[in-house]
Amino acid sequence: MKKLLKLLEKDAHVTPAELALMCEKETGDIKQMIHDYEKQGVILGYTTVIDWDKTDFEYVNALIELKVTPRVGSGYDEIAERIYNYPEVESVYLMSGGYDLTVMLRGKTMREVAIFVAAKLATIEAVTSTATHFVLRKYKDHNVIFGGAPVDERGNIL
């Protein structure tokens, strides 16, 4: 049921009883549906979105674009699997456009990210080029707005 999945995606903290009311189902039915979705691999996990900028944890997020030469028989999957197994990597996407893969990762410093790209990503035989971009500020992530709308302090030009 699409409505149930949308509600869980927005807030996984909602109880089965609350979900049952919102979906006009019985609580037992909702629990069974969630269990079935987990077993089928439709629901892969539950996460909490944290605004790390409001903590004393120092980090940098990076988006790395990769051009790769896919291998016969395994295409991009083998390369993506090798990359997503690094603990620093948070996401890997196959993309259309100028680059083939996009890698999202978190490091302690820009230098740490640069070393990761040079020592681990660029050394993969199938990788032909990389482009690294650092996230300067998050405004919205996982459908959560960070810190509200920014205030425009430029003023009017007459």
Side-chain angles (χ1 to χ4, degrees), residues 15-65:
T15 67
E18 292 168 324
L19 291 167
L21 284 173
M22 291 184 261
C23 295
E24 300 176 356
K25 300 270 186 194
E26 295 295 322
T27 302
D29 294 338
I30 293 295
K31 287 180 180 179
Q32 185 61 50
M33 291 170 73
I34 292 170
H35 173 76
D36 292 346
Y37 284 142
E38 290 170 341
K39 194 171 181 177
Q40 296 164 7
V42 173
I43 296 175
L44 298 173
Y46 300 90
T47 62
T48 302
V49 179
I50 298 171
D51 187 349
W52 289 104
D53 290 339
K54 292 184 177 178
T55 71
D56 60 359
F57 178 70
E58 293 292 324
Y59 71 97
V60 62
N61 283 325
L63 181 151
I64 303 152
E65 297 172 307

Side-chain angles (χ1 to χ4, degrees), residues 125-143:
E125 185 178 321
V127 173
T128 59
S129 71
T130 68
T132 302
H133 310 275
F134 292 98
V135 175
L136 302 178
R137 180 177 178 186
K138 280 188 185 180
Y139 292 101
K140 184 175 181 178
D141 190 21
H142 293 86
N143 285 323

Side-chain angles (χ1 to χ4, degrees), residues 66-69 71 78-80 82-84 86 101 116-129:
L66 304 174
K67 287 185 183 179
V68 300
T69 304
R71 296 195 176 155
E78 182 181 320
I79 303 160
R82 181 167 175 190
I83 293 167
Y84 68 60
Y86 288 116
L101 296 174
F116 175 82
V117 172
K120 294 183 179 173
L121 294 181
T123 59
I124 297 172
E125 185 178 321
V127 173
T128 59
S129 71

